[in-house]
Amino acid sequence: MARNWCDFRILLLVAAAAFIYIQMRLFATQSEYADRLAAAIESESHCTRQMRSLIDQISMQQGRVVSLEDEKKVRDLECSQLKALVQELEKKGLERTVDKLQVPVAAVVVMACNRADYLERTIESILKYQQPVAPKFPVFISQDGADERVNHKALSYNQLNYMQHLDFRPVHTERPGEIIAYYKIASHYKWALDELFYKHNFTRVIILEDDMEIAPDFFDYFEAAANLLDTDKTIMAVSSWNDNGQKQFVHDPKTLYRSDFFPGLGWMLTKSTWNELSPKWPKAYWDDWLRLKDNRGDRQFVRPEVCRTYNFGEVGSSMGQFFKQYLEPIKLNDVHVDWKSMDLSYLTQENYVRHFANVVSNAKPVQGVDVVLKAYNIDGDVRIQYKDQYDFEQIARQFGIFEEWKDGIPRTSYKGVVVFRYQTARRIFLVGPDSLRLLGIEHS
C-alpha cells in the first residue's frame, strides 16, 4: 500500500514536472509570439510611416511639378514678351538708323508764346500731314517765356521737340510808345534760329507761327523748293504765303513767282543765309527789317499764287491789323500738286526775267479811268501802268488788293510789277514806271 502511494506520488511529480514544462514551453511560445506580433506590428507601423512619407513626397513632387509647369508657362510668356520687345527695339533701332541716314530737308519750328489754344490748332494741322514725312521734316516747338498752358500743351506731343526761350531782362524800346512784344519776338526768333542752325546743325529751317494751318502739299512744296535754294543764291528764302492770296485773286495752285518783297508767314531759309543775318539781327520788327534793300540786296523770294499756310490769328501782337480785310479771306490750297514732277527751273534768276517779261508783254495795256471795269471786260491778261506810290495805292484800292509799300516796294511785287487774278483766270499786272525797262520790254 505504501509502495503504491509512493508510485502515485512519483507519477504526480512527473505529471507536475510535465505540466510545468508544458506551461514553460507554452509561456515561452507565447512570449516569442508576442515578440513576433509586436515586431510585426512595428514593421507594419514602419511600413505605414514609409508609405505615408512616400505619399507626402509624391504629393510634394506633384506640387513641385505643378509649380514648375506654372513657372515654365510664366517663363515661356516672359521669353515671348522679351523676344517681341527685342524685335521691336531692333525695328526701332533700324528705323532710327534709317532716319539718321536720311538727311532732313528742313527743321520746322513753330514760334509760340502764350496762346495755347492757337498752338494746339497749329500743331494738329501740322501733324495731319507731317507724320508720313517726319524724318524729312522734324518739328520743333519754340516757346518764348514761361506760360504754363503753352508749356503743358507743347510737352503733351511726344513726337515733337520742345525748346524754351527764357529771357527776363527788361526790354528798352528805341522809341517811346513802341510795343514791347515786337522786341521780344525778334529776340526769340534769333535765339530759336541760332539753336536750330548752330546747335542742331540743320541746313534749312521752315519758320511757322502758332496761329497757322498748313496745306496738304505744304511739305512737298518746300521739298521741291529746297533745290531752288541750293542752286540759286539769288533766292533769299522761299515762302508759303501770298499777301494777295485772297479767294478772289487766285486761280492756279501750281503757279509760283519771284518777289522783291519778303512775304513771311511760313518761310524757309538756309544756314548760309542765316550766317549772314544772325550777327546783325534787329532788336525789333524783324520782318520789316528783312524787307529793307540793305539787308535783302539783289535777292528775291519765291512765293506761291495760292497760299500753303492760313493765318487764323485774329488775336496777337498786331492786334488783328488787316485780319478781316486781308487775312481771313485768304484761300488755303486744298488740291494735290505733284511737286516732284514739276519743273521749277523757270524760277531761277537767268530764266525768270525772260519768263515773267514774256507774260507781262503779252498782257493787254489798259489806261485811263475805270480801269477795273475795263479790265473786267477784257478776255485775257491785262497790264495797268502806275506812275508812283500814290497812283498805285489808288488803283490797288479799286481792286481791293494790298496797298502797302515797304522801303519803296509794293507787297508781292517783282521789279515793281504786282500780279494777281481778277475773278477768273485773268491776270492783272500793275506795272511800275521802271518795270518794263527792268524787264527788258520795249515801252508800248
Side-chain angles (χ1 to χ4, degrees):
M1 184 69 180
R3 185 176 177 177
N4 288 337
W5 175 250
C6 183
D7 291 338
F8 179 73
R9 286 190 297 176
I10 292 172
L11 288 173
L12 286 173
L13 288 172
V14 172
F19 177 78
I20 293 169
Y21 175 76
I22 291 171
Q23 289 296 322
M24 292 177 64
R25 293 285 297 177
L26 182 61
F27 178 77
T29 300
Q30 288 177 341
S31 297
E32 184 179 355
Y33 177 76
D35 291 340
R36 289 182 179 179
L37 182 60
I41 293 172
E42 178 64 26
S43 178
E44 183 181 4
S45 299
H46 180 69
C47 289
T48 301
R49 288 194 300 270
Q50 286 185 328
M51 186 178 296
R52 288 177 179 173
S53 176
L54 288 173
I55 291 172
D56 292 341
Q57 290 180 13
I58 290 172
S59 298
M60 290 176 63
Q61 292 297 330
Q62 287 178 338
R64 290 187 64 188
V65 168
V66 173
S67 178
L68 287 172
E69 288 178 349
D70 292 341
E71 187 176 351
K72 182 178 181 298
K73 290 179 182 178
V74 173
R75 293 290 174 84
D76 289 343
L77 179 61
E78 289 177 349
C79 287
S80 176
Q81 292 174 340
L82 286 172
K83 185 177 180 180
L85 180 60
V86 168
Q87 290 175 344
E88 182 67 19
L89 289 174
E90 288 176 346
K91 179 182 177 181
K92 289 183 177 180
L94 180 60
E95 289 174 350
R96 289 194 188 101
T97 301
V98 172
D99 291 351
K100 289 179 180 178
L101 292 175
Q102 185 175 26
V103 178
V105 174
V108 180
V109 59
V110 180
M111 310 297 286
C113 182
N114 57 7
R115 301 183 293 186
D117 53 342
Y118 278 17
L119 178 62
E120 181 178 18
R121 181 174 169 181
T122 297
I123 294 174
E124 292 299 328
S125 173
I126 293 171
L127 292 181
K128 186 177 180 181
Y129 306 111
Q130 182 259 359
Q131 290 179 352
V133 293
K136 294 181 180 180
F137 296 94
V139 179
F140 290 76
I141 301 172
S142 182
Q143 180 186 359
D144 186 33
D147 186 277
E148 292 184 0
R149 294 175 305 133
V150 170
N151 178 269
H152 177 74
K153 179 60 62 179
L155 292 176
S156 68
Y157 292 93
N158 294 328
Q159 63 271 56
L160 306 182
N161 305 284
Y162 175 72
M163 308 188 304
Q164 187 174 26
H165 176 234
L166 296 174
D167 185 358
F168 300 108
R169 293 174 297 179
V171 176
H172 301 288
T173 61
E174 295 182 347
R175 289 173 292 275
E178 288 185 300
I179 298 175
I180 291 177
Y182 291 124
Y183 285 79
K184 289 183 173 292
I185 291 170
S187 174
H188 181 204
Y189 265 74
K190 175 171 170 45
W191 176 85
L193 291 173
D194 280 345
E195 286 284 302
L196 293 169
F197 280 124
Y198 301 140
K199 181 178 178 179
H200 295 281
N201 202 31
F202 288 107
T203 57
R204 306 179 198 91
V205 175
I206 300 170
I207 300 98
L208 292 171
E209 296 172 10
D210 61 354
D211 56 0
M212 295 181 181
E213 291 179 338
I214 66 172
D217 63 344
F218 176 89
F219 294 106
D220 292 339
Y221 165 70
F222 276 109
E223 184 171 6
N227 294 325
L228 287 171
L229 282 178
D230 293 340
T231 57
D232 189 346
K233 299 305 179 183
T234 65
I235 299 176
M236 190 173 189
V238 175
S239 176
S240 59
W241 184 258
N242 173 14
D243 283 306
N244 292 321
Q246 294 77 23
K247 298 178 179 64
Q248 66 271 29
F249 300 133
V250 298
H251 175 76
D252 186 1
K254 298 179 182 178
T255 298
L256 305 179
Y257 295 94
R258 288 177 77 118
S259 174
D260 296 311
F261 192 96
F262 170 63
L265 295 179
W267 55 290
M268 177 172 66
L269 78 163
T270 63
K271 186 176 183 178
S272 59
T273 300
W274 183 246
N275 289 340
E276 170 196 341
L277 299 177
S278 179
K280 58 180 182 179
W281 192 251
K283 295 180 179 179
Y285 312 106
W286 65 267
D287 47 353
D288 285 341
W289 178 84
L290 275 177
R291 292 168 182 141
L292 298 176
K293 174 73 173 178
D294 291 343
N295 300 313
R296 176 177 57 84
D298 293 324
R299 293 169 293 188
Q300 285 87 42
F301 307 90
V302 171
R303 66 164 181 88
E305 178 174 314
V306 182
C307 290
R308 265 58 188 185
T309 48
Y310 179 78
N311 188 298
F312 57 83
E314 185 173 5
V315 178
S317 299
S318 60
M319 294 175 287
Q321 185 184 22
F322 304 133
F323 182 80
K324 288 295 182 182
Q325 183 177 0
Y326 297 115
L327 300 182
E328 191 173 50
I330 286 287
K331 176 177 176 55
L332 179 65
N333 181 56
D334 56 1
V335 300
H336 174 73
V337 175
D338 184 10
W339 289 106
K340 293 181 181 179
S341 65
M342 296 282 289
D343 181 8
L344 302 182
S345 60
Y346 71 94
L347 290 163
T348 59
Q349 185 183 39
E350 60 271 21
N351 294 332
Y352 191 75
V353 173
R354 292 193 302 270
H355 163 79
F356 194 69
N358 182 58
V359 294
V360 171
S361 63
N362 289 332
K364 185 173 182 178
V366 170
Q367 298 175 352
V369 296
D370 296 328
V371 290
V372 175
L373 180 62
K374 292 178 180 178
Y376 182 79
N377 291 323
I378 292 176
D379 184 17
D381 293 345
V382 173
R383 187 171 80 228
I384 302 171
Q385 189 97 24
Y386 64 88
K387 295 177 290 185
D388 51 27
Q389 181 174 346
Y390 176 78
D391 193 27
F392 172 85
E393 290 171 352
Q394 297 298 312
I395 298 171
R397 190 173 300 121
Q398 294 181 56
F399 282 102
I401 65 169
F402 249 110
E403 305 169 24
E404 187 182 28
W405 286 40
K406 295 287 184 181
D407 199 29
I409 299 175
R411 282 183 182 266
T412 77
S413 68
Y414 173 72
K415 297 190 182 301
V417 179
V418 173
V419 56
F420 57 96
R421 308 278 179 170
Y422 186 59
Q423 298 183 355
T424 64
R426 177 194 305 107
R427 283 176 293 192
I428 307 294
F429 296 94
L430 303 186
V431 181
D434 295 326
S435 297
L436 297 181
R437 178 182 60 81
L438 293 172
L439 290 172
I441 302 173
E442 293 291 335
H443 283 277
S444 58

